[in-house]
Amino acid sequence: MMKRLILLGAPGAGKGTQAEIISKKLNIPIISTGNILKKAMREGTPLGVEAASYVNSGRLVPDPVIIGIVKERLSESDCANGYILDGVPRTTAQADALAEMGVEVSDVVSLEVRDEVIIERLTGRIICSECGATYHKVTHRPVVEGKCDKCGGAIITRSDDTEETVLKRLETYHEITEPLKDYYLEKGKLTLINGDQEISRINEEIMESLGVRCE
């Protein structure tokens, strides 16, 4: 059963955590827009060179270039049995561009978490400066204070996890990205999942919505 999945949700809703679990269970890759953009620029592909011209001059990379790079990545062999899109689409315009370029989406799952919970999560979030592993000041501290359990790197607070910045990110999400829920609802592809539950329960509900039975 091929799954071409998009995970929606506010910053801190748990998309990254669920993407990793789903990727392992279904053996499909997570396609991160940021990572493939950097890779294309590093390797000097035609679209990567074009993207670099925008990045190096401090301009936003236009949607057609981003979508083109995504489409290139999806043509690789590891995506033959499905994929999880991470970071795209962020707007309905990008969703239209994906469809126009033949990028198929089978399922869209939105993790629903109240703003006050998001604020509590993100302002308490701490991460490893080396590997990016995520912890929390209250609910998930590293075993050794200040050191990552996975790689031993230093634990830091992200500069964009202040309450003021989190509020701005939420405002942007509600204005720019949340309309994608209606966009995919109209196409019959959207499932809403309560993201304020145990991680395992959230995943169970996601897999049920995908029609996947996991032992």
Side-chain angles (χ1 to χ4, degrees), residues 112-119 170 196:
E112 302 292 294
V113 183
R114 291 171 291 120
D115 283 3
E116 53 265 38
V117 175
I118 293 291
I119 293 167
L170 280 170
D196 190 13

Side-chain angles (χ1 to χ4, degrees), residues 27-99:
N27 194 29
I28 57 176
I30 302 169
I31 308 303
S32 166
T33 309
N35 290 344
I36 61 173
L37 184 61
K38 292 174 185 176
K39 182 173 182 285
M41 291 168 57
R42 186 172 60 249
E43 294 179 352
T45 68
L47 283 171
V49 170
E50 186 175 354
S53 69
Y54 288 95
V55 172
N56 294 337
S57 62
R59 294 175 293 164
L60 290 175
V61 180
D63 286 351
V65 177
I66 291 176
I67 301 303
I69 289 174
V70 169
K71 188 175 181 181
E72 280 186 345
R73 175 65 182 86
L74 296 182
S75 68
E76 296 181 19
S77 60
D78 64 333
C79 296
N81 294 319
Y83 43 78
I84 303 167
L85 292 178
D86 175 16
V88 66
R90 290 190 184 277
T91 65
T92 55
Q94 285 188 353
D96 281 335
L98 279 172

